[in-house]
Every structure is written in C-alpha cells, then in structure tokens.
Amino acid sequence: MFTSLYRGSRSNVDKLLVPRGIRELTASGHTWKSGEAVSVTNSNLTSGEASLYDPASGSLIMQLNDVSFSPMLDGRESAYMSHIYTQLTWKPDFRLLDTNEKLQQALFGCDDNTEAHVQEVLDLAAHKAPNLRVLEFNLVPGDVESLWLAGDPTPRPVRAALTEFRFAATSADAVLTAEESYAEWPAARGARFSVLDPFSKAFTVPAGSSKFDLVVIKWSQHEYSGELETLAGNLRSLTSEGGSMVFYDFTKSSPSEENRSVNENNSFSALQRFGLGKVRQTTGGGCIVAEVSSEQAPLPSNNNSVYIVRFSSSQSTVVDHTVSQLREVGWSFTVICINDESGHGLAELPHGATVLVIDELTRPLLAMATENEWTALQAIIQRECHLVWVTQGSQIKPTAPFKAVAHGVFRTVRAEVPMIRIMTLDVESATTASSGRNVTAISMALREVISANDRSAPVECEVAERGGLLQSAGSGLTLG
C-alpha cells in the first residue's frame, strides 16, 4: 500500500517508507475468510487513502483515510555510513550564490588565484550536499591532475561523504595514467576512470552511472569556443535537475586586470544562450558556475499568502518596519496576534498554512515563554503549518544566546512531526541599517519553504545571514 502511495510502483521505491499515522479507520464488520485482499489507493503527495476489498465477493473490508508515512534519508548506500558527525560548520549556501556578486563575495579571503577559487567552490558544493555524485573532465592535453582530489591523497573532510566519483578524459593514455597515479590514494578509493568525449554528438551517460549532481570541467575556453553548444547539450544530459557545473579555465590562473574585463562573446555569455541557468563567474572569469534547472519548474511567487503570527501585542519599531518592507517587495500577509482581544487569534489560522514569526528579532521568546505562548506554538504545529522562524544573533557566534533555544526546540519538532517544513533564519543585525538585508533573507526563506512544499521536497532547516550572504549549516566530518 505504501508503495503505491509513494510512487505508484514497487520498482520506483528508493527509500525506506516508515508508517507515521492513520487518521481514520473504518472496518466493515463483514466476515473475511480468504486471507487475501485487493488494495485500491489514492495519493495526494503527503498522505493518501486506501480501501481493502474481498476479491471473491467484491465487498469492502476496510477503509483507511489520511494514511501518512515518512521516507527515510536518501537511499544511496554508504553516503554516511563510514563517517562520524563531529560539529556543525557554516558556509555560504552554494545554491543561493546565484549572481557574480554573491559568488565573488563568498570567495573573498581566499588566495588570489583561480585554482584556489575553484577548490573553494567545490568545497561549498560538497558542504551543501555531502553525498554528491561527481564527474570530472580534464580536457587539457597531457594533464591528468584531478581538481576534486585536490592534490592530496587524504580526502578533504568536506568531500569525504560523496556517493560516486568518476574521472574522465578524451585520451585513453591520460585515463590510464590517471588511474595508475591515484591507485594508492585513499581519496580516490572507489573512483572510476573513463574515456569520454563531451564534444561528441553521439555522447551518452557512462554505463552504470546515474546522472551526476556535480560536473567539473578543466579546459581552455579559447580552444573549445566553437563547440560550446554541443558541450552544453551533453553536459545537460549528464547532470541531474538542480545539479551544478563548474568550468575552470587553467589559462586564467589569476584574476588579473586584463581578465577582469570579460568579452561579451566569451563562454559565460554562450552558456547562458545554450540553456544553462544561474550562470555566474569568479573575478576574472577563470571559474564559471552554472546550474541545470527544469524548464517547466514554476518560480515561487511573492504573492503567496503568508500568516504572520505575533506572540506579543506590544509595538516594535523593528518588527513593524520589517513587515512594511516585506509588503513593499510583494508579500501578502495576514497578521494574527495570539493575544488579540478582538478574538481574531489562531482560530483563523488554516491547516497547512505558511507562518512567519519575527518576534525574536527584538527579544527572546522561547527561553521565557508563557504557558499561553507555548500553547500557541503547539497549535501552529498541530495545524501542520510550515514555519519560518526568524532570530537575531543566535547562530555562528551568538550574541543573543537566549534566542538559540528555538533551534533546539525545532530540531525536536522536526524529528517528531516530519511532514512540516520548519526553517530557522538567524540574521546578523536587527537595526534600521540592516533591514534591507533582513528583508532579502526573509523573502528567500519564505520562497524556499513555499517552493519546497509545492514540490514535496525537503528544505534547509537552519540558515544564517551574515554580511548579506545566506549560510547553511553542514556537519564537520571525521572518518570513522
């Protein structure tokens, strides 16, 4: 039954399905002797209905309504099995570095050379999704060095949990040399080596591989400038939806003043024309990052109705100004106060709504919550509302540690009520000067939660805004 509710076919199940609840069960009361039954199910993504019938008489045996289940973690074997999580680490969220300015700001402080920038980009990608499937092309004649392996036999901790790594070149000699060179490297354990030509019009995904989450290309843009359309098409066929491509031009070893002025006819512009999304580049253009996105995926709109739940009826200049600015950028809000004397309280909050709470921009809430406030939070959770909870100064280097109680509370809630999406967003400052950055961060968080709900996808649980960049929490790893 769960199989049909999840993806309709037993062969499509790729996760362990754990029963979570049955809201209503109706038994017919008829005698059922055959021991066999026919199950007819109907799914609405997060739950479903199931009816059991006697195959002999056709009579109803049992009806189950609102049957729900929780898919466990991604079923890729050994993604985390040989690792121990040691601590949370914070890095800019790779998927949200969607402009040149954001990418270059995230790389500020790295060594001022293009390869160092590429290595940091790969670390950011691995931090965002540790169990990546990675394909690397080295298209430089006579060069067999791997950017992913980073010249170190010991794997970088942030890259140690990958699912698959494949190194490819266009020459059989180069592939054999690379395989021999990395044979004893622990970082290359389980790696595959292939002869692949990404410029071939008859190109196919390597046998035995699924699509890749990250494709890395080391090349010379100038040498292959006339074949970009074929390259882009082949790379799209290799890369999973939402996956990324990283292009490293080894001829641009430093972001010199000459390289800073990028010609409109370069690879950056060409990749945009050939259908890749979020194309952005480092200073000088030596590293280009692009993304494969679904052409039919609708962008979440700011016009979604969101409920702001206020836990305090007292006026707050910061909160009021933030709400006003969010409305100016297009958000439609219904404001509910749990202490509203007019009676328009949480009773108006619909099941499954998207809720924004920003009280902790100015004061700790959960660390000293009243019984009434705890009851209100419980009501939001019981209505299975998706939640963006904003704090200030509670993450990374906390300046307001009492506000950090929210993160512990919601980690527990996520484990106990996995069907709702809860994102905590910690902003660096809650002043008038920082309001623009805060509004941008809150808008992003709301769009992420709404989009994830529309796609029935997981959402980043804990995000922090620092210096205008959104950072995500990953786990520091040591080999187990």
Side-chain angles (χ1 to χ4, degrees), residues 1-7 19-26 39-52 62-70 384 419:
M1 182 177 67
F2 288 129
T3 300
S4 59
L5 290 178
Y6 179 57
R7 287 192 176 177
R20 187 171 68 237
I22 301 172
R23 182 160 296 181
E24 183 179 71
L25 185 152
T26 303
S39 173
V40 179
T41 61
N42 179 38
S43 172
N44 62 359
L45 298 179
T46 58
S47 63
E49 300 175 350
S51 302
L52 300 180
M62 184 182 299
Q63 173 81 32
L64 301 103
N65 294 325
D66 286 335
V67 181
S68 57
F69 54 87
S70 294
E384 297 185 358
M419 75 286 288

Side-chain angles (χ1 to χ4, degrees), residues 9 11 22 46 55 57 60 71 101 122 137 139 187 277 283 341 353 394 410 417 431 434 452 474 476:
S9 171
S11 62
I22 301 172
T46 58
S57 65
L60 179 70
E101 293 74 17
L122 297 182
F137 288 98
L139 304 179
T283 304
E341 295 179 357
S394 66
F410 292 125
V417 195
T431 64
S434 66

Side-chain angles (χ1 to χ4, degrees), residues 371-383:
E371 182 178 352
N372 187 39
E373 290 168 338
W374 281 118
T375 301
L377 178 58
Q378 185 178 30
I380 293 171
I381 294 168
Q382 287 176 339
R383 284 176 168 83

Side-chain angles (χ1 to χ4, degrees), residues 161-471:
L162 83 165
T163 298
E164 178 183 353
F165 173 64
R166 186 183 290 266
F167 180 91
T170 57
S171 161
D173 290 340
V175 169
L176 288 172
T177 301
E179 189 168 8
E180 292 172 358
S181 300
Y182 296 122
E184 303 300 323
W185 283 35
R189 187 179 297 121
R192 299 181 180 182
F193 297 83
S194 303
V195 179
L196 296 173
D197 182 4
F199 299 100
S200 170
K201 296 186 182 298
F203 186 83
T204 58
V205 177
S209 291
S210 301
K211 288 192 173 184
F212 295 90
D213 308 304
L214 178 65
V215 178
V216 185
I217 303 97
K218 183 177 182 180
W219 67 334
S220 166
Q221 296 180 26
H222 178 73
E223 183 175 348
Y224 295 105
S225 59
E227 302 175 85
L228 282 176
E229 185 171 6
T230 301
L231 175 65
N234 287 339
L235 294 182
R236 284 181 63 90
S237 70
L238 281 170
T239 311
S240 60
E241 182 179 323
S244 297
M245 304 174 194
V246 177
F247 299 84
Y248 167 50
D249 186 346
F250 75 101
T251 65
K252 299 181 179 181
S253 59
S254 63
S256 65
E257 291 299 324
E258 179 181 355
N259 285 335
R260 289 178 193 271
S261 177
V262 183
N263 190 301
E264 285 298 319
N265 294 321
N266 68 1
S267 302
F268 179 84
S269 301
L271 292 173
Q272 290 178 312
R273 294 197 305 273
F274 297 144
L276 298 181
K278 295 184 181 179
V279 182
R280 60 269 197 206
Q281 62 187 345
T282 60
T283 304
C287 174
I288 299 175
V289 183
E291 184 175 300
V292 173
S293 302
S294 171
E295 296 179 358
Q296 300 178 348
L299 294 174
S301 168
N302 282 9
N303 294 323
N304 293 277
S305 179
V306 175
Y307 289 78
I308 293 181
V309 175
R310 293 294 311 276
F311 281 74
S312 172
S313 57
S314 60
Q315 294 294 312
S316 167
T317 302
V318 170
V319 170
D320 292 344
H321 184 61
T322 301
V323 173
S324 175
Q325 285 197 310
L326 285 166
R327 282 184 167 137
E328 287 178 6
V329 297
W331 288 100
S332 173
F333 292 125
T334 300
V335 180
I336 294 175
C337 181
I338 66 170
N339 298 316
D340 193 341
E341 295 179 357
S342 67
H344 301 294
L346 287 177
E348 291 188 345
L349 185 64
H351 184 276
T354 300
V355 172
L356 172 65
V357 177
I358 55 178
D359 291 67
E360 288 201 306
L361 280 175
T362 56
R363 69 179 183 93
L365 178 59
L366 296 183
M368 48 195 73
T370 64
E371 182 178 352
N372 187 39
E373 290 168 338
W374 281 118
T375 301
L377 178 58
Q378 185 178 30
I380 293 171
I381 294 168
Q382 287 176 339
R383 284 176 168 83
E384 297 185 358
C385 293
H386 306 292
L387 179 62
V388 175
W389 188 283
V390 183
T391 62
Q392 181 275 320
S394 66
Q395 291 279 35
I396 304 182
K397 296 181 179 179
T399 57
F402 282 140
K403 296 177 183 177
V405 172
H407 308 299
V409 169
F410 292 125
R411 288 168 190 166
T412 301
V413 172
R414 291 185 196 100
E416 295 182 354
V417 195
M419 75 286 288
I420 65 176
R421 292 166 179 82
I422 301 175
M423 177 186 288
T424 60
L425 166 65
D426 185 65
V427 298
E428 187 171 16
S429 175
T431 64
T432 303
S434 66
S435 61
R437 296 199 304 268
N438 294 349
V439 166
T440 299
I442 293 170
S443 294
M444 179 285 307
L446 288 171
R447 285 195 295 270
E448 285 288 300
V449 169
I450 293 169
S451 174
N453 185 41
D454 291 343
R455 295 178 288 111
S456 296
V459 70
E460 190 71 54
C461 295
E462 298 181 13
V463 178
E465 175 274 325
R466 293 297 182 269
L469 289 182
L470 290 163
Q471 304 198 22

Side-chain angles (χ1 to χ4, degrees), residues 28 38 86 93 95 110 149 153 160 306 322 328 360 374 376 403 441:
S28 66
V38 175
T86 58
D93 191 310
R95 196 166 55 84
C110 294
L149 298 178
V306 175
T322 301
E328 287 178 6
E360 288 201 306
W374 281 118
K403 296 177 183 177

